Amino acid sequence: MRTMIVLVVGVIAGGCSTGGQVSTAYVAYPPPPQRPRIQFLTKIVEARDIEKESRLMNFLVGDVSSVRKLRKPTGIAAHDGVIYVADPGWDTVIKIDLKQKLFETIGDHDDGKLNVPVAIAIDKNGDKFFADSGRRQVVQFNAENEFVGSYGDPAEILPTGVAVDERRLYVCDRRGHQVLVFDRRSRKAVRTIGGPGKDEGEFNTPTSLSLNEDGHLFVTDMANFRVQEFDEKGEYVKSYGFLGDGPGTFARPKGTASDREGYLYTVDAAFENVQIWDSSNAQVVLAFGGSGVGPGQMYLPGSVFVSYDLVDYFKDYVSPDFTLEYVVLVANNYGPNKVAVYGFVNPKDPSKYVDFSSGDDAEVE
């Protein structure tokens, strides 16, 4: 596991250093002279942020889509150079194609019509699963964005989160305070995880789901102010956080995501930040974001997604001092940073920074 114990959980933007020649024309967490781990890269709000057509061409030929700007993003995921945003403000999913430089919608007609999509999961083949709290089902589209089918009885569940692996679909059922496990072949529920309560393995208003590289399931247990981890058999492993107003606590926990090294990213809509946890001991090592409308800040964030495939699309935004290891996407319900794009970075010359994770108290060069 990569060492990342920085013992810094503030959400202060990078500022001017008084002791060296480190470039600080960026927003970083923690700020120099400490060794940054997260850099805010850019934001995506509307079609012109990514499209190849010029504003003049749009003026001459008109918009090809009525949806040209994100309205109220809640869920976010990415696959093969495309970012998918569940936007209940438009009652649809926005497809942000970074390869083709296109901004389009899917799931807006026929049997695949979405109502209030709030969460997204994508499997390795590119099949997409949208938790739709208005339709009260999870709706599946294939890699070509064609409707495939749906999961769940609308009379029985209220889906708010979804996660998927090769054999199973996990659905966060807010109505039953449980997680439903579906077999992907039959689309039938085969078992449940949890139920109403506050003990280990029980939930009070579960809202979000994610899986890590080991197949462990993370359930945001919002009204119990924690995230719970379960193994592949659905057995309780451990909890992260509790009610509070400091590092390692939650006020309104939302989405989660994991990187390949076992670090867990958790969104809090009240703190308006993301906390990064070492999953080996359920301890926070860093936080980033913070309330506001400036670069890197958040406004009612709802979900987070870690992507290694998007590095080539955003590497030009990284400070020359760093290399980009992976990209972190955060969907904000409001504010100017609807999709905030961050990068996990490594300095090209670590000796220029004070690295508290290694006990290095050297001055910045």
Side-chain angles (χ1 to χ4, degrees):
M1 179 175 289
R2 180 184 63 249
T3 301
M4 198 173 69
I5 305 301
V6 297
L7 303 179
V8 176
V9 293
V11 289
I12 302 172
C16 295
S17 169
T18 59
Q21 300 179 10
V22 178
S23 172
T24 56
Y26 50 80
V27 177
Y29 311 89
Q34 301 163 90
R35 177 178 175 177
R37 263 57 176 197
I38 298 290
Q39 181 191 337
F40 174 67
L41 303 180
T42 187
K43 62 182 179 180
I44 301 173
V45 178
E46 56 189 337
R48 64 181 179 180
D49 290 334
I50 60 98
E51 285 190 338
K52 58 186 175 185
E53 293 87 355
S54 69
R55 296 179 66 182
L56 174 61
M57 182 62 69
N58 286 336
F59 174 77
L60 293 174
V61 304
D63 290 342
V64 296
S65 170
S66 60
V67 177
R68 306 291 294 169
K69 179 181 293 188
L70 297 172
R71 181 175 284 177
K72 189 182 178 182
T74 55
I76 194 165
H79 178 78
D80 193 25
V82 181
I83 300 171
Y84 296 87
V85 181
D87 193 333
W90 287 112
D91 298 332
T92 191
V93 169
I94 312 297
K95 173 187 171 185
I96 303 172
D97 191 330
L98 301 176
K99 294 187 297 182
Q100 302 298 323
K101 306 296 183 184
L102 297 173
F103 192 95
E104 303 173 327
T105 63
I106 62 174
D108 51 8
H109 63 277
D110 300 331
D111 291 339
K113 183 173 177 55
L114 301 171
N115 190 338
V116 186
V118 294
I120 301 173
I122 307 176
D123 71 10
K124 294 180 180 179
N125 297 319
D127 276 27
K128 301 153 199 78
F129 301 82
F130 305 131
D132 192 317
S133 63
R135 183 167 168 159
R136 301 175 78 94
Q137 289 181 310
V138 171
V139 186
Q140 180 181 355
F141 291 76
N142 62 19
E144 289 72 40
N145 296 322
E146 300 166 332
F147 173 71
V148 174
S150 58
Y151 294 76
D153 184 339
E156 296 180 355
I157 69 171
L158 178 58
T160 58
V162 61
V164 65
D165 62 23
E166 293 180 356
R167 296 178 296 132
R168 294 160 295 203
L169 182 77
Y170 300 88
V171 179
C172 190
D173 176 22
R174 185 167 178 171
R175 175 183 176 181
H177 301 279
Q178 61 188 345
V179 174
L180 300 175
V181 184
F182 289 83
D183 176 79
R184 289 187 55 179
R185 286 190 175 182
S186 66
R187 296 201 186 96
K188 302 294 184 182
V190 293
R191 60 187 172 95
T192 62
I193 298 173
K198 60 182 180 180
D199 292 335
E200 293 179 352
E202 297 178 337
F203 308 119
N204 184 359
T205 317
T207 58
S208 304
L209 300 176
S210 68
L211 291 165
N212 70 3
E213 292 283 312
D214 297 324
H216 283 209
L217 180 72
F218 295 86
V219 184
T220 302
D221 189 9
M222 188 175 70
N224 281 328
F225 308 100
R226 62 189 178 186
V227 172
Q228 296 195 67
E229 179 182 352
F230 298 83
D231 65 18
E232 290 185 284
K233 297 180 180 180
E235 299 294 328
Y236 171 84
V237 176
K238 66 168 84 70
S239 290
Y240 299 74
F242 52 90
L243 177 62
D245 59 3
T249 67
F250 292 117
R252 194 179 177 189
K254 292 293 223 174
T256 63
S258 297
D259 70 12
R260 291 174 180 171
E261 302 295 334
Y263 288 97
L264 178 69
Y265 288 65
T266 63
V267 170
D268 195 295
F271 296 158
E272 297 185 306
N273 72 359
V274 171
Q275 296 186 83
I276 306 176
W277 306 69
D278 184 339
S279 61
S280 67
N281 56 20
Q283 297 296 311
V284 168
V285 297
L286 181 65
F288 64 93
S291 301
V293 297
Q297 295 180 314
M298 301 178 187
Y299 196 153
L300 287 182
S303 59
V304 58
F305 185 81
V306 171
S307 173
Y308 291 80
D309 298 332
L310 295 178
V311 168
D312 285 344
Y313 298 98
F314 294 104
K315 61 184 179 182
D316 291 343
Y317 293 90
V318 178
S319 164
D321 295 332
F322 306 139
T323 56
L324 180 61
E325 184 171 334
Y326 56 82
V327 171
V328 182
L329 305 173
V330 177
N332 292 283
N333 291 176
Y334 299 102
N337 303 318
K338 290 294 197 305
V339 171
V341 184
Y342 304 84
F344 188 93
V345 296
N346 283 314
K348 295 178 179 178
D349 185 356
S351 67
K352 291 184 177 181
Y353 302 92
V354 179
D355 190 353
F356 291 109
S357 65
S358 63
D360 182 5
D361 294 327
E363 295 294 329
V364 178
E365 291 183 353

